Amino acid sequence: MKHFLALSSILVIFLSIAYLNLEALKTFFKINSPLSISTDISPSSQPMNNTLKTTMSKALRHAKITPHRSSARGHSDHGWLNTYHSFSFAGWYNPDFTQFGSLRVLNEDRVKANSGFPTHPHRDFEIFSYILSGELTHRDSMLKKGAEGNADADKFYRMKRGDVQFTTGGTGIAHSEFNEHHKDTVHFLQIWALPWKKGLAPRYHTRHFDDEDKRKGFVNILSPLKGGVDATAEQEKVAEPTLPGTIPIHADFVMAAGLIAPGSKFEWVVGAKATEATKRKVYIHLPMTKNGKAQIKIDGRDEAVLVVGDGAFVDGVNAGDKLSVESVGEAEAEVVVLDTA
């Protein structure tokens, strides 16, 4: 009996020491180990975790991001033309949506086959068309009738997906944009920007931008003309953009586009290291493609998730800020970025 009690006492002492050592080891590793993982999922721990997640996800806390929902756009269906207006245009006016920096018009148009915009004038606007699908033929008053087949003149052009046609309205120009295809509808964005001065010489530029490049990151499409508002006659003639490979625009303005696969994220550097003003505004648009299955999230913010047709005003940003755009839908997202002073 004495032996049994002695053994029991020794066992109790041994277990007590083991327990104390175990607790000491747990405390040590909890404090010191970089691999320690908290398994606390109690309700009291969740608000702190959610706050931390939100803070970390918003890379640009100083930026104000305001979604512009597709349903808030102006809309007209004329049969031959189905059009949505992000900003006040034609017969649709909304005082909340008149312009954003130098960005004045963003129309998302679908034009049926064998129809289009007949010859009409433009003046003192920078106007560009971004083709999403189908084809759109441009003819203008600067080319003599009968010479329309000269595509090399850059004034008669049948645009297809990936093409961008740019017009400096300047002192005045008249042109037509027609879908001459026998059956297919053309889907495109028509965008207008205010130039840095009026009375410019009319000018056209057309350029193609490959989808494969857009799948690698944002591709710059427009950038300011070198020389800026005080560009010389020679600089106007040469028409060299600030960013190589882009179309020159008479504004402190950059346009870019990207094709973002689901689960992937692109980064937009505000100002694209090409603009003058450091205080910037960025408008992001998600066209109505991919049967509505594309979605994006801006700056990691749950309140800044856009579906097709939506846009977003990003205000209070500075040149050099990095703005993330993540594809969170089921389909590749085609994202258009308009960066303005």
Side-chain angles (χ1 to χ4, degrees):
M1 185 68 177
K2 291 180 180 180
H3 292 297
F4 176 79
L5 291 173
L7 287 172
S8 297
S9 298
I10 293 170
L11 181 60
V12 169
I13 292 170
F14 175 81
L15 291 174
S16 297
I17 293 171
Y19 175 81
L20 291 173
N21 286 338
L22 178 61
E23 289 301 302
L25 286 170
K26 287 169 66 179
T27 301
F28 174 83
F29 279 109
K30 185 176 181 179
I31 296 173
N32 294 282
S33 174
L35 300 177
S36 62
I37 301 174
S38 172
T39 57
D40 182 9
I41 56 172
S42 62
S44 62
S45 71
Q46 289 178 5
M48 182 178 292
N49 291 340
N50 289 339
T51 301
L52 179 62
K53 180 179 179 182
T54 301
T55 301
M56 291 178 66
S57 67
K58 293 183 180 180
L60 296 178
R61 282 178 289 177
H62 58 279
K64 179 183 178 182
I65 302 178
T66 307
H68 183 13
R69 300 302 178 190
S70 180
S71 58
R73 297 187 294 175
H75 177 232
S76 296
D77 190 345
H78 303 281
W80 66 273
L81 167 67
N82 190 1
T83 179
Y84 291 83
H85 311 314
S86 294
F87 298 90
S88 297
F89 187 81
W92 181 74
Y93 175 75
N94 186 321
D96 295 328
F97 308 122
T98 54
Q99 69 183 80
F100 191 56
S102 57
L103 176 60
R104 176 59 188 86
V105 171
L106 172 54
N107 293 346
E108 185 161 359
D109 294 341
R110 286 186 175 87
V111 175
K112 288 186 177 180
N114 296 310
S115 59
F117 302 94
T119 301
H120 56 281
H122 286 294
R123 188 182 186 93
D124 289 327
F125 272 108
E126 305 286 279
I127 300 171
F128 37 105
S129 298
Y130 178 90
I131 310 302
L132 294 160
S133 64
E135 64 178 46
L136 186 69
T137 299
H138 173 269
R139 302 174 188 273
D140 74 85
S141 59
M142 293 176 67
L143 200 65
K144 292 180 180 179
K145 188 174 182 179
E148 295 93 340
N150 183 11
D152 294 334
D154 203 23
K155 297 168 186 174
F156 165 80
Y157 197 80
R158 181 163 287 127
M159 297 174 285
K160 298 183 179 180
R161 172 159 181 84
D163 290 337
V164 174
Q165 170 134 42
F166 180 89
T167 303
T168 291
T171 55
I173 191 70
H175 67 192
S176 66
E177 293 160 299
F178 228 78
N179 179 4
E180 297 182 356
H181 197 273
H182 66 284
K183 64 174 184 176
D184 293 342
T185 295
V186 61
H187 181 196
F188 67 104
L189 303 179
Q190 184 170 129
I191 307 168
W192 298 15
L194 295 164
W196 47 47
K197 65 180 179 181
K198 296 182 178 181
L200 296 165
R203 186 76 183 260
Y204 288 98
H205 299 281
T206 306
R207 195 176 183 94
H208 180 80
F209 299 88
D210 287 337
D211 282 353
E212 287 310 306
D213 292 332
K214 295 175 191 171
R215 291 189 172 99
K216 299 172 186 175
F218 285 119
V219 172
N220 295 318
I221 292 173
L222 303 177
S223 69
L225 175 78
K226 274 193 175 180
V229 66
D230 297 318
T232 64
E234 182 61 23
Q235 286 174 318
E236 288 283 358
K237 181 180 179 181
V238 173
E240 184 180 357
T242 304
L243 297 175
T246 63
I247 294 172
I249 181 171
H250 296 91
D252 190 355
F253 190 101
V254 175
M255 175 186 179
L259 295 168
I260 313 177
S264 296
K265 184 187 298 184
F266 285 1
E267 187 175 78
W268 173 249
V269 178
V270 177
K273 300 180 180 179
T275 54
E276 294 276 338
T278 56
K279 299 294 183 182
R280 313 293 306 168
K281 299 174 182 289
V282 178
Y283 190 83
I284 295 176
H285 182 67
L286 183 63
M288 296 183 292
T289 60
K290 304 297 182 181
N291 296 317
K293 295 182 179 180
Q295 291 186 31
I296 58 173
K297 180 186 288 189
I298 303 172
D299 194 42
R301 306 187 189 195
D302 291 337
E303 69 273 21
V305 172
L306 307 186
V307 299
V308 294
D310 288 351
F313 301 97
V314 183
D315 219 335
V317 288
N318 305 306
D321 284 345
K322 295 178 180 178
L323 185 66
S324 70
V325 181
E326 181 182 4
S327 178
V328 295
E330 299 177 12
E332 182 179 70
E334 184 154 10
V335 180
V336 174
V337 177
L338 303 164
D339 189 318
T340 175

